[in-house]
Structure formats: C-alpha cells, structure tokens
Amino acid sequence: MAQQEMSFSWFSLLSLLLFKVFVSGVFSLNPNGSEYISAVGDPGMRSDSLRVAIEAWNQCNEVGEEAPKMGSPRAAECFDVLNSQKPGGNCSACTRVPPSLVHRVTEEDNLLGIGKSFDGLDKRALFNPDLYAAEKELYLGSKCQVDDKPNPWQFWMIMLKSGNMDTYAAKCPKNGHKVGPFGPPSQFPCFGKGCMNQPLIYHNYTYLQGPNETTLKGSFYGSWDLDSGLSQTSVNENMSYYSVTWQKELGQGSWIFHNVLKTSTKYPWLMLYLRSDATSGFSGGYHYETRGMSKIIPESPNFKVRFTLNVINGGGPNSQFYLMDMGSCWKNNGQPCNGDVTTDVTRYSEMILNPATPSWCKPDNPKLCPPYHTFPNGTRVHRSETSRFPYEAYHLYCAPGDGEHVEQPSVPCDPYSNPQPQEILQILPHPVWGEYGYPTTKGQGWIGDPKTWELDVGRLSQSLYFYQDPGTVPAKRKWSSIDLGTEIYRDANQVAEWTVSDFDILVPNKN
C-alpha cells in the first residue's frame, strides 16, 4: 500500500491532532491521580492512531532462513487517523470530509528481505537473515516512531515463536556457545530438514468499517505450514495457524486484540505473545537493538501492570498461558547485559494461568524449586523448610546453565532456546501472591471469568529469587519486556483463543 501524500494544511492539522492524542495520554487514568504515570507510549491502548508490529523467531530467537516470498519476518502497521472534524469552533469545510487513515508503513516495506537494501541498512546484514531482521526492525521503527517524553516510542510487538529444533543443523548455540550437530534430544520436535522455518505472515491493513465507517479493524495472520494453502476463512484440521486481529471504535475505549493460536502435528510447540518492549537497547530474549512501546523501562519494586484479559479457549492441558511474562537481562555478577551472549543471561518470570498446569516443585524433590521464597512482609524461607515453604505456588525453577555457584540440587534451563543462557521462574495461582493482585486460586481469570487485572508486578518481581554469584552487588531488575500470551508445549491440534485490551504499565510520577 503506497503512503498517501498530504498538502501542507493537512499535515499541519495532522500534527496538531497527534500532539493532542499522544501528549494528553501520557498520564494514566489512575484512581490515585498523578501518583503514577504511564510507561508506555499509548496508555491503555486508547489512541485511535495505532502502532503495532510482528516478529517471528525460531527456537533460539533467530531467523535462520526466511519463508518463501515473505521477506524478513518483521512487519508493522502504523497509521494516524486524520479526523476532519475540528474539536471546537466553526469548520464547515472540515465536516464534509470523513476521517481518513494515513499509513506510515507500506506493503513494500513489510516484504523487505535479504538482498534488498533500505535506508540505514548495515552492509554486513544484507545477506545475513539474522542481522537483516534486526536491522529491519529498526527501519520499521523509524517509520512508526512517535516523539515523546522522556523517550520516543514505536509500537506494540506481536511475537511468534516455534519450538521446533533441528539438532543436526547446528543452528542454535548452547548457553551462548556455538556447537556442532548432535542427535535429537527428546524434548525438541522436528519433522526433518526445514523444521525450523519461519511462518507465513499475511496482513490485512486497517481501514474504517461498519455502516457509519467508525470501526477500525485490521490483522496479521498466517501458518508455519508453508504448503498449507492457507486462507483466512479456511483452516485445515491438521494445520498450524495464528491470527491477531485489532479492533476499536473511533474515539471510544481501548483497542481489543483478538488472538488465536493453533498447533499441528508438524508444529506442536508454538508461542504467541503481545509485548511491550523497550524502545531502545535489548528486550527480553533478544540480543539485538530493539524497538517497542515502553518509553520508560519499569524497574522493581516500583511499577504496576494493568490490562483486561478474556480467555476464550485455553489451548489444552499443555498450554502455559502466561497472565504475566516479564523478561530482563543481567550477568551473573549483577552487571547489566552488553550483548556478549557468552556472559549475558536472560531472566524470565511467568505466572501460568492454566489451572491444568501442575506444580513440579516438591518438598521431597526440591530440584525444581527456587532456593528461597520471600513473603510480602520480607520473611525469607528456604525450600528445605517443608512446613513453611509454599511449594504449590511454583510450577518450576531452572537455573542459568553458566551459574558457577548454583545451590544443589538443581536443574539447568534449556541451553538452546535462547541465544544466551537463561534463568526461568514460573509461578502458579496461590494465596501467597494475593497481596500483589495476582490470582490466588486455580481457575481464577480463566475461561468464562474475564477480568481487568492490576498487578503489582514491581513488588512481586523484587521478591522473587534469581541467581547471582556470591558477594556481588544485587542487579537492578529492569524489565525490558512485559507481555502476556501462551506457549503451547508439544501438543498437536490444540487451539488457544483470547482477547487483550486496556494494557498499561504504571510507574511512579517523579515530578
């Protein structure tokens, strides 16, 4: 889609309208007045002018190889609503012109792939699929960027990932170190050569719909099955599929993001998240310069996350549906990450909402428990204190593979599914999390129980256990990715469906 050209007068009007829309939304609607401000560019997803992008990763968070005729697996839709009706005064000429959308990203931009140059492309990336995707994200970000205080911002990020891994192809490093081919471990699905392919990504550009042309609606959708003959209205029974559709009424409420994810026999391990990533630097699990929606990086213990979630279909018993997933990165000595994948460590914490997910943290086998649990009052309890440690509050804990002083017994995290070592702490609904606004019983917030959540993620994340080398200064826990969505783990022909709206990250107002 070609970008529309505007006369100077239209451009001036658009600039004034955008200034009003974006600047007026800086302060979040909060019952505590100005105690908190929004850390995201579009507080509560309420701006008619949308910024959204999509990215796809293989098992080790790289590209590896582009899907045929799809270009690099990064795409964006960013548009401004040019509303001709002036907010005040007389403008009889304006009222005769209906609202229109000014798209900033063209179809040609979204189909850019290796071998095709664009402004700012590093020559070293031109024929390297991994580097090219990272550069393309920056390019799309430059077309979508909104100037703001304290930092500019770009877009919400839809993240796709497949857990397939061809161990004979030697594409994924082990804890950040390159390794050669090896026999297939049982935990990684792969149907043979090419099983780590990127998905098809199709795009329905947003336009005004409905009888009065007041409904904004668009989507991304696709499949990992490259020979599927996919159409948006027909999905074969044994075919992988995803779709994210966004919809909003002009001038009213929040965008509603409707998400669908379906696994298949060839692609039984799939992920779909909606993320608010850092607008610069690294984001969770991503060792390249990133772009996103979080113009202020939330830091423990002082931030909250608010959103409305409606789970329509859970995705089966192996769907690890994350009510809240936060990603950060710091070295085992507490220092911030610098892009060295051999010493950087990705840190994740996730609340799994699916009531079918069991606790693997057991008093008689504590290797999948964190060494300590800290209660809201600061009391710290070791996992060996069987009468006090809340084992049922944890699904699992796995330690970073390069930790030199990890308390035993322990289980190291999967060394292949990140470009660097990782540490993961997964929690379950339990009364110990109630003070932070999290679910306290299984089934709360699940199918048939839509909720608007306000989670004290900052306080909870400060209390959680993460490994550090003894005697080192505690890391500043800055969360460069805040997201929610599901990971369907090795379970074919399952369907998850949910909606997200009103998303916001709240940080203290220091003014």
Side-chain angles (χ1 to χ4, degrees):
M1 177 180 289
Q3 289 182 296
Q4 299 178 28
E5 296 181 357
M6 297 177 290
S7 67
F8 177 77
S9 59
W10 280 114
F11 181 79
S12 300
L13 178 58
L14 174 61
S15 299
L16 288 171
L17 289 170
L18 289 178
F19 181 81
K20 176 179 175 60
V21 168
F22 291 127
V23 173
S24 64
V26 169
F27 289 87
S28 176
L29 298 175
N30 191 291
N32 298 322
S34 61
E35 181 181 354
Y36 286 91
I37 60 172
S38 179
V40 303
D42 180 12
M45 297 179 155
R46 291 184 172 271
S47 172
D48 289 341
S49 299
L50 183 64
R51 302 287 189 273
V52 63
I54 189 168
E55 62 184 357
W57 296 355
N58 64 17
Q59 168 70 337
C60 43
N61 298 0
E62 299 282 11
V63 173
E65 186 176 345
E66 296 175 359
K69 300 180 181 179
M70 288 287 108
S72 182
R74 303 289 188 273
E77 168 151 344
C78 302
F79 62 84
D80 302 315
V81 176
L82 186 60
N83 192 336
S84 61
Q85 296 190 10
K86 194 176 180 180
N90 296 319
C91 187
S92 58
C94 295
T95 58
R96 292 196 296 268
V97 182
S100 60
L101 308 188
V102 181
H103 286 273
R104 294 174 174 264
V105 180
T106 67
E107 184 176 6
E108 183 181 7
D109 294 326
N110 283 332
L111 289 175
L112 286 169
I114 54 170
K116 297 180 180 178
S117 187
F118 53 82
D119 289 344
L121 178 66
D122 188 323
K123 292 181 179 179
R124 294 172 296 179
L126 187 58
F127 295 101
N128 182 314
D130 297 333
L131 298 179
Y132 190 94
E135 293 278 321
K136 184 180 177 183
E137 181 173 326
L138 303 185
Y139 171 70
L140 294 173
S142 71
K143 304 201 78 174
C144 299
Q145 183 163 293
V146 176
D147 290 332
D148 204 347
K149 293 181 179 180
N151 296 297
W153 51 275
Q154 296 85 29
F155 33 55
W156 301 105
M157 181 61 80
I158 299 162
M159 177 191 151
L160 303 169
K161 181 171 176 175
S162 167
N164 280 6
M165 180 171 158
D166 184 356
T167 60
Y168 295 112
K171 291 185 176 181
C172 292
K174 182 178 182 180
N175 284 325
H177 297 273
K178 291 185 178 181
V179 293
F182 61 97
S186 59
Q187 72 264 35
F188 298 119
C190 182
F191 55 79
K193 186 178 179 180
C195 71
M196 296 177 69
N197 63 281
Q198 294 297 327
L200 304 170
I201 298 177
Y202 297 110
H203 183 194
N204 288 321
Y205 276 86
T206 304
Y207 68 97
L208 288 164
Q209 305 178 34
N212 298 316
E213 295 189 352
T214 58
T215 301
L216 294 158
K217 187 176 181 180
S219 66
F220 288 118
Y221 68 100
S223 173
W224 284 264
D225 290 271
L226 301 181
D227 57 353
S228 60
L230 174 69
S231 72
Q232 193 176 19
T233 58
S234 177
V235 179
N236 296 331
E237 181 178 350
N238 192 25
M239 182 184 79
S240 60
Y241 178 76
Y242 71 88
S243 70
V244 180
T245 303
W246 47 88
Q247 183 171 330
K248 185 182 186 299
E249 289 298 309
L250 271 175
Q252 299 179 27
S254 166
W255 285 95
I256 298 174
F257 282 76
H258 179 264
N259 308 269
V260 176
L261 181 65
K262 180 181 181 296
T263 56
S264 67
T265 302
K266 291 172 66 177
Y267 302 92
W269 184 0
L270 297 175
M271 290 150 258
L272 170 58
Y273 310 123
L274 180 65
R275 297 166 51 125
S276 181
D277 288 332
T279 60
S280 63
F282 304 123
S283 58
Y286 193 64
H287 63 113
Y288 302 109
E289 180 76 11
T290 192
R291 294 293 182 263
M293 182 58 69
S294 296
K295 62 182 182 180
I296 301 172
I297 304 303
E299 181 176 348
S300 305
N302 298 314
F303 70 96
K304 299 180 181 182
V305 181
R306 180 190 296 147
F307 56 89
T308 300
L309 173 66
N310 181 15
V311 181
I312 301 165
N313 199 330
N318 293 333
S319 172
Q320 294 188 333
F321 198 103
Y322 301 136
L323 174 71
M324 180 50 46
D325 180 11
M326 44 189 167
S328 186
C329 188
W330 62 82
K331 298 178 185 290
N332 287 332
N333 63 7
Q335 293 300 304
C337 293
N338 61 2
D340 180 354
V341 295
T342 64
T343 58
D344 288 352
V345 181
T346 304
R347 319 282 173 165
Y348 292 118
S349 176
E350 299 145 346
M351 160 63 80
I352 300 176
L353 198 59
N354 190 344
T357 303
S359 172
W360 291 345
C361 167
K362 303 293 184 183
D364 58 350
N365 189 14
K367 65 182 180 180
L368 287 172
C369 303
Y372 292 92
H373 173 84
T374 302
F375 289 92
N377 65 3
T379 302
R380 198 176 188 220
V381 178
H382 191 264
R383 61 186 179 179
S384 62
E385 298 185 51
T386 56
S387 64
R388 302 175 64 199
F389 191 92
Y391 301 95
E392 293 294 320
Y394 294 93
H395 173 54
L396 65 81
Y397 166 78
C398 61
D402 64 343
E404 296 180 354
H405 305 278
V406 174
E407 181 177 310
Q408 300 303 323
S410 70
V411 173
C413 291
D414 172 11
Y416 301 103
S417 63
N418 242 251
Q420 57 212 23
Q422 60 180 334
E423 181 178 22
I424 302 173
L425 182 60
Q426 295 183 329
I427 62 176
L428 299 171
H430 191 277
V432 296
W433 312 124
E435 187 169 320
Y436 307 110
Y438 281 69
T440 57
T441 58
K442 290 191 174 186
Q444 191 176 358
W446 195 234
I447 300 168
D449 187 26
K451 285 185 177 295
T452 296
W453 299 90
E454 185 168 311
L455 307 177
D456 197 343
V457 182
R459 283 184 61 218
L460 179 136
S461 60
Q462 184 69 17
S463 74
L464 297 176
Y465 174 85
F466 286 99
Y467 171 83
Q468 249 188 257
D469 292 335
T472 57
V473 178
K476 291 184 177 181
R477 298 184 177 184
K478 297 182 178 182
W479 302 96
S480 54
S481 292
I482 302 290
D483 57 271
L484 66 160
T486 197
E487 173 178 358
I488 302 178
Y489 179 68
R490 300 195 62 182
D491 199 356
N493 298 311
Q494 294 287 354
V495 179
E497 182 179 3
W498 67 101
T499 65
V500 178
S501 58
D502 306 300
F503 193 98
D504 208 350
I505 302 172
L506 307 172
V507 296
N509 181 9
K510 297 181 181 180
N511 295 327

PDB file of all heavy atoms in Angstrom, residues 164-177:
ATOM      1  N   ASN A 164      10.265 -25.970  17.375  1.00  0.00           N
ATOM      2  CA  ASN A 164      10.961 -26.976  16.576  1.00  0.00           C
ATOM      3  C   ASN A 164      12.462 -26.696  16.557  1.00  0.00           C
ATOM      4  O   ASN A 164      12.880 -25.537  16.443  1.00  0.00           O
ATOM      5  CB  ASN A 164      10.442 -26.981  15.141  1.00  0.00           C
ATOM      6  CG  ASN A 164       9.149 -27.737  14.993  1.00  0.00           C
ATOM      7  OD1 ASN A 164       8.552 -28.174  15.977  1.00  0.00           O
ATOM      8  ND2 ASN A 164       8.690 -27.905  13.758  1.00  0.00           N
ATOM      9  N   MET A 165      13.263 -27.756  16.606  1.00  0.00           N
ATOM     10  CA  MET A 165      14.718 -27.570  16.546  1.00  0.00           C
ATOM     11  C   MET A 165      15.364 -28.752  15.833  1.00  0.00           C
ATOM     12  O   MET A 165      15.228 -29.904  16.248  1.00  0.00           O
ATOM     13  CB  MET A 165      15.308 -27.418  17.937  1.00  0.00           C
ATOM     14  CG  MET A 165      16.822 -27.223  17.932  1.00  0.00           C
ATOM     15  SD  MET A 165      17.433 -26.802  19.553  1.00  0.00           S
ATOM     16  CE  MET A 165      19.144 -27.302  19.404  1.00  0.00           C
ATOM     17  N   ASP A 166      16.066 -28.446  14.755  1.00  0.00           N
ATOM     18  CA  ASP A 166      16.832 -29.442  14.003  1.00  0.00           C
ATOM     19  C   ASP A 166      18.239 -29.497  14.589  1.00  0.00           C
ATOM     20  O   ASP A 166      19.087 -28.655  14.286  1.00  0.00           O
ATOM     21  CB  ASP A 166      16.871 -29.049  12.524  1.00  0.00           C
ATOM     22  CG  ASP A 166      17.577 -30.082  11.659  1.00  0.00           C
ATOM     23  OD1 ASP A 166      18.107 -31.067  12.216  1.00  0.00           O
ATOM     24  OD2 ASP A 166      17.614 -29.891  10.425  1.00  0.00           O
ATOM     25  N   THR A 167      18.479 -30.473  15.460  1.00  0.00           N
ATOM     26  CA  THR A 167      19.783 -30.543  16.133  1.00  0.00           C
ATOM     27  C   THR A 167      20.907 -30.929  15.179  1.00  0.00           C
ATOM     28  O   THR A 167      22.071 -30.660  15.468  1.00  0.00           O
ATOM     29  CB  THR A 167      19.731 -31.550  17.295  1.00  0.00           C
ATOM     30  OG1 THR A 167      19.399 -32.848  16.780  1.00  0.00           O
ATOM     31  CG2 THR A 167      18.686 -31.139  18.313  1.00  0.00           C
ATOM     32  N   TYR A 168      20.557 -31.546  14.044  1.00  0.00           N
ATOM     33  CA  TYR A 168      21.586 -31.890  13.058  1.00  0.00           C
ATOM     34  C   TYR A 168      22.036 -30.666  12.263  1.00  0.00           C
ATOM     35  O   TYR A 168      23.105 -30.678  11.658  1.00  0.00           O
ATOM     36  CB  TYR A 168      21.062 -32.958  12.099  1.00  0.00           C
ATOM     37  CG  TYR A 168      20.778 -34.287  12.770  1.00  0.00           C
ATOM     38  CD1 TYR A 168      19.471 -34.760  12.896  1.00  0.00           C
ATOM     39  CD2 TYR A 168      21.819 -35.065  13.280  1.00  0.00           C
ATOM     40  CE1 TYR A 168      19.205 -35.972  13.508  1.00  0.00           C
ATOM     41  CE2 TYR A 168      21.560 -36.279  13.911  1.00  0.00           C
ATOM     42  CZ  TYR A 168      20.254 -36.725  14.016  1.00  0.00           C
ATOM     43  OH  TYR A 168      19.998 -37.918  14.638  1.00  0.00           O
ATOM     44  N   ALA A 169      21.220 -29.604  12.266  1.00  0.00           N
ATOM     45  CA  ALA A 169      21.558 -28.401  11.505  1.00  0.00           C
ATOM     46  C   ALA A 169      22.504 -27.473  12.266  1.00  0.00           C
ATOM     47  O   ALA A 169      23.082 -26.559  11.672  1.00  0.00           O
ATOM     48  CB  ALA A 169      20.284 -27.655  11.134  1.00  0.00           C
ATOM     49  N   ALA A 170      22.629 -27.690  13.573  1.00  0.00           N
ATOM     50  CA  ALA A 170      23.556 -26.913  14.412  1.00  0.00           C
ATOM     51  C   ALA A 170      23.320 -25.407  14.285  1.00  0.00           C
ATOM     52  O   ALA A 170      24.262 -24.630  14.190  1.00  0.00           O
ATOM     53  CB  ALA A 170      25.004 -27.266  14.067  1.00  0.00           C
ATOM     54  N   LYS A 171      22.051 -24.998  14.306  1.00  0.00           N
ATOM     55  CA  LYS A 171      21.728 -23.574  14.178  1.00  0.00           C
ATOM     56  C   LYS A 171      21.686 -22.846  15.515  1.00  0.00           C
ATOM     57  O   LYS A 171      21.805 -21.624  15.551  1.00  0.00           O
ATOM     58  CB  LYS A 171      20.391 -23.406  13.461  1.00  0.00           C
ATOM     59  CG  LYS A 171      20.419 -23.801  11.992  1.00  0.00           C
ATOM     60  CD  LYS A 171      19.102 -23.487  11.310  1.00  0.00           C
ATOM     61  CE  LYS A 171      19.160 -23.800   9.817  1.00  0.00           C
ATOM     62  NZ  LYS A 171      17.885 -23.469   9.139  1.00  0.00           N
ATOM     63  N   CYS A 172      21.486 -23.582  16.607  1.00  0.00           N
ATOM     64  CA  CYS A 172      21.316 -22.932  17.903  1.00  0.00           C
ATOM     65  C   CYS A 172      22.537 -23.134  18.786  1.00  0.00           C
ATOM     66  O   CYS A 172      23.044 -24.263  18.914  1.00  0.00           O
ATOM     67  CB  CYS A 172      20.082 -23.487  18.614  1.00  0.00           C
ATOM     68  SG  CYS A 172      18.525 -23.027  17.811  1.00  0.00           S
ATOM     69  N   PRO A 173      23.013 -22.054  19.416  1.00  0.00           N
ATOM     70  CA  PRO A 173      24.130 -22.203  20.356  1.00  0.00           C
ATOM     71  C   PRO A 173      23.667 -22.866  21.653  1.00  0.00           C
ATOM     72  O   PRO A 173      22.463 -22.926  21.946  1.00  0.00           O
ATOM     73  CB  PRO A 173      24.558 -20.757  20.603  1.00  0.00           C
ATOM     74  CG  PRO A 173      23.313 -19.958  20.392  1.00  0.00           C
ATOM     75  CD  PRO A 173      22.548 -20.666  19.304  1.00  0.00           C
ATOM     76  N   LYS A 174      24.622 -23.345  22.421  1.00  0.00           N
ATOM     77  CA  LYS A 174      24.351 -23.941  23.728  1.00  0.00           C
ATOM     78  C   LYS A 174      24.880 -22.995  24.795  1.00  0.00           C
ATOM     79  O   LYS A 174      26.094 -22.785  24.897  1.00  0.00           O
ATOM     80  CB  LYS A 174      25.017 -25.312  23.842  1.00  0.00           C
ATOM     81  CG  LYS A 174      24.748 -26.021  25.167  1.00  0.00           C
ATOM     82  CD  LYS A 174      25.411 -27.391  25.193  1.00  0.00           C
ATOM     83  CE  LYS A 174      25.102 -28.123  26.493  1.00  0.00           C
ATOM     84  NZ  LYS A 174      25.744 -29.468  26.525  1.00  0.00           N
ATOM     85  N   ASN A 175      23.964 -22.392  25.542  1.00  0.00           N
ATOM     86  CA  ASN A 175      24.343 -21.382  26.540  1.00  0.00           C
ATOM     87  C   ASN A 175      25.255 -20.315  25.946  1.00  0.00           C
ATOM     88  O   ASN A 175      26.241 -19.889  26.552  1.00  0.00           O
ATOM     89  CB  ASN A 175      25.010 -22.036  27.752  1.00  0.00           C
ATOM     90  CG  ASN A 175      23.997 -22.729  28.655  1.00  0.00           C
ATOM     91  OD1 ASN A 175      22.876 -22.267  28.814  1.00  0.00           O
ATOM     92  ND2 ASN A 175      24.400 -23.854  29.232  1.00  0.00           N
ATOM     93  N   GLY A 176      24.933 -19.895  24.719  1.00  0.00           N
ATOM     94  CA  GLY A 176      25.668 -18.821  24.083  1.00  0.00           C
ATOM     95  C   GLY A 176      26.903 -19.242  23.324  1.00  0.00           C
ATOM     96  O   GLY A 176      27.554 -18.398  22.693  1.00  0.00           O
ATOM     97  N   HIS A 177      27.248 -20.523  23.327  1.00  0.00           N
ATOM     98  CA  HIS A 177      28.447 -21.014  22.644  1.00  0.00           C
ATOM     99  C   HIS A 177      28.043 -21.904  21.466  1.00  0.00           C
ATOM    100  O   HIS A 177      27.175 -22.782  21.607  1.00  0.00           O
ATOM    101  CB  HIS A 177      29.329 -21.815  23.611  1.00  0.00           C
ATOM    102  CG  HIS A 177      29.861 -21.005  24.751  1.00  0.00           C
ATOM    103  ND1 HIS A 177      31.035 -20.285  24.677  1.00  0.00           N
ATOM    104  CD2 HIS A 177      29.363 -20.797  26.001  1.00  0.00           C
ATOM    105  CE1 HIS A 177      31.260 -19.675  25.833  1.00  0.00           C
ATOM    106  NE2 HIS A 177      30.251 -19.973  26.652  1.00  0.00           N
TER     107      HIS A 177
END
